[in-house]
């Protein structure tokens, strides 16, 4: 019953993938606008303003329907907006479907072999990923994030949940090709995926810890979301209160103002405060 553990996981993934914008893919639309979002410390302002930008990206895609960069931007933004800000389940599902469609189209625009990912058998899918190179990492990271968001919004659909293994395979390949990409955030994905279940139910907490440690190390303390997820998904899973509180207190003591990460770090500090507030009840 793995799908029951997905709730609440993907919005933080989407924050990481969309607010970092895949190497600032929105910079391919405008060189300055993305940093107006990424370096903003007001989540409410971003929530209020994103719909306008979504419509603008839609319009650009209508004009350039095979633009990989525009399609990737659409996937990132629609996924983040659905996962973070939309409360109505049906609307969130609709937006997640659009995000994944853009993600699939971006992958197809980059390489025709990716145009029928759902039609590939598992061996064919794995072989396709094996042929990917480092230059494919941004596309793979965007695709994996959009696909994870789609699954999170469609947990009642067995066909959607069955695709979770493909998301993990994509992120594994990103790590193999360029583990430093976006401050090592593919490791963050894999840390959460491996901590969905306790070891007794088939999870792999030890592997999760390795990925979380790697994500923290690769970010050099700049990405505050990595230790927050480490505390929430691993430390709580194994009931390590000391690790949990240490990680979260370090996040609260850190300076969130990092170029390209300020908004994400602001969110991470809010999450850290909330996790510490209910720690006594949890542990």
């Amino acid at each position: 019953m793995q799908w029951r553990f997905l709730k609440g996981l993907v919005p933080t993934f989407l924050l990481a993938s969309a607010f970092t914008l895949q190497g600032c893919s929105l910079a391919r639309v405008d060189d300055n606008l993305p940093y107006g979002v990424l370096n903003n410390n007001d989540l409410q302002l971003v929530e209020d303003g994103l719909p306008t930008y979504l419509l603008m990206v839609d319009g650009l895609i209508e004009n350039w329907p095979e633009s990989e960069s525009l399609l990737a931007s659409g996937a990132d933004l629609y996924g983040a907006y659905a996962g973070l800000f939309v409360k109505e389940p049906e609307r969130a599902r609709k937006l997640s479907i659009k995000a994944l469609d853009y993600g699939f189209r971006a992958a197809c625009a980059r390489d025709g072999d990716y145009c029928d990912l759902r039609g590939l058998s598992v061996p064919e899918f794995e072989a396709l990923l094996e042929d990917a190179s480092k230059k494919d990492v941004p596309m793979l990271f965007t695709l994996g994030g959009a696909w994870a968001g789609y699954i999170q919004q469609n947990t009642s659909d067995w066909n959607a949940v069955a695709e979770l293994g493909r998301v993990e395979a994509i992120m594994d390949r990103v790590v193999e090709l360029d583990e430093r990409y976006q401050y090592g955030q593919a490791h963050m994905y894999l840390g959460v995926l491996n901590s969905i279940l306790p070891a007794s139910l088939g999870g792999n907490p030890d592997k999760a810890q390795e990925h979380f440690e790697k994500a923290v190390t690769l970010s050099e303390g700049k990405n505050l979301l990595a230790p927050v997820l480490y505390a929430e998904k691993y430390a709580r899973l194994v009931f390590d209160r000391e690790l949990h509180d240490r990680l979260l207190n370090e996040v609260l003591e850190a300076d969130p103002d990092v170029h390209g990460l300020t908004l994400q770090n602001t969110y991470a500090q809010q999450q850290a405060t909330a996790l510490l507030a209910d720690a006594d009840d949890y542990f």
Side-chain angles (χ1 to χ4, degrees), residues 128-149:
L128 181 62
L129 292 179
E130 185 63 31
D131 286 340
S133 64
K134 188 173 181 177
K135 67 180 185 296
D136 297 315
V137 165
M139 174 270 287
L140 292 173
F141 193 67
T142 289
L143 176 62
W147 211 336

Side-chain angles (χ1 to χ4, degrees), residues 22-283:
Q22 315 310 331
C24 296
S25 61
L26 289 182
R28 292 168 287 199
V29 179
D30 181 277
D31 286 338
N32 298 314
L33 184 55
Y35 287 109
V37 175
L38 303 179
N39 293 332
N40 197 302
N41 62 6
D42 189 330
L43 287 170
Q44 185 63 54
L45 181 63
V46 172
E47 178 182 354
D48 293 342
L50 270 180
T52 299
Y53 201 73
L54 291 173
L55 293 175
M56 186 184 79
V57 171
D58 282 341
L60 291 169
I61 289 173
E62 284 292 325
N63 287 327
W64 293 281
E66 297 182 1
S67 168
E68 180 190 349
S69 61
L70 288 174
L71 290 164
S73 295
D76 293 336
L77 285 171
Y78 269 99
Y81 188 69
L84 290 168
F85 300 128
V86 177
K87 307 305 181 196
E88 303 89 341
E90 186 56 37
R91 182 168 175 245
R93 282 192 290 272
K94 184 184 296 184
L95 294 171
S96 74
I97 290 171
K98 187 164 189 174
L100 182 56
D101 177 63
Y102 279 158
F104 281 147
R105 287 173 60 186
C108 180
R110 178 165 190 81
D111 187 333
D113 290 340
Y114 284 80
C115 291
D116 186 27
L117 290 175
R118 280 178 160 151
L120 298 178
S121 67
V122 172
E124 290 171 333
F125 187 84
E126 292 175 345
L128 181 62
L129 292 179
E130 185 63 31
D131 286 340
S133 64
K134 188 173 181 177
K135 67 180 185 296
D136 297 315
V137 165
M139 174 270 287
L140 292 173
F141 193 67
T142 289
L143 176 62
W147 211 336
Y150 165 79
I151 294 170
Q152 192 268 337
Q153 299 294 348
N154 293 273
T155 54
S156 62
D157 183 345
W158 281 87
N159 290 325
V161 174
E163 296 174 337
L164 188 60
R166 301 201 175 203
V167 175
E168 185 170 5
I170 289 170
M171 291 303 172
D172 275 331
R173 187 57 176 152
V174 170
V175 165
E176 291 171 358
L177 292 169
D178 185 5
E179 67 174 355
R180 294 183 177 276
Y181 183 72
Q182 295 297 344
Y183 296 94
Q185 291 188 103
H187 279 290
M188 207 164 59
Y189 271 80
L190 292 168
V192 176
L193 289 172
N194 281 282
S195 57
I196 288 174
L197 297 171
S200 60
L201 295 178
N204 195 335
D206 290 341
K207 188 175 180 181
Q209 184 178 30
E210 291 177 8
H211 282 299
F212 281 129
E213 287 283 355
K214 197 70 173 177
V216 171
T217 299
L218 289 172
S219 81
E220 298 179 339
K222 295 178 181 178
N223 175 17
L224 301 184
L225 188 57
V228 168
L229 287 173
Y230 188 5
E232 181 183 7
K233 307 306 179 186
Y234 173 79
R236 288 196 171 205
L237 179 68
V238 300
F239 291 95
D240 189 335
R241 176 68 183 271
E242 181 179 357
L243 175 63
H244 176 273
D245 289 1
R246 176 178 63 79
L247 288 168
L248 297 177
N249 281 311
E250 287 176 355
V251 166
L252 293 177
E253 292 169 1
D255 181 1
D257 188 9
V258 177
H259 184 62
L261 290 175
T262 299
L263 188 64
Q264 178 174 316
N265 287 344
T266 300
Y267 174 85
Q269 289 188 326
Q270 288 185 2
Q271 293 298 103
T273 298
L275 289 168
L276 285 171
D278 73 357
D280 288 339
D281 293 335
Y282 187 89
F283 291 99

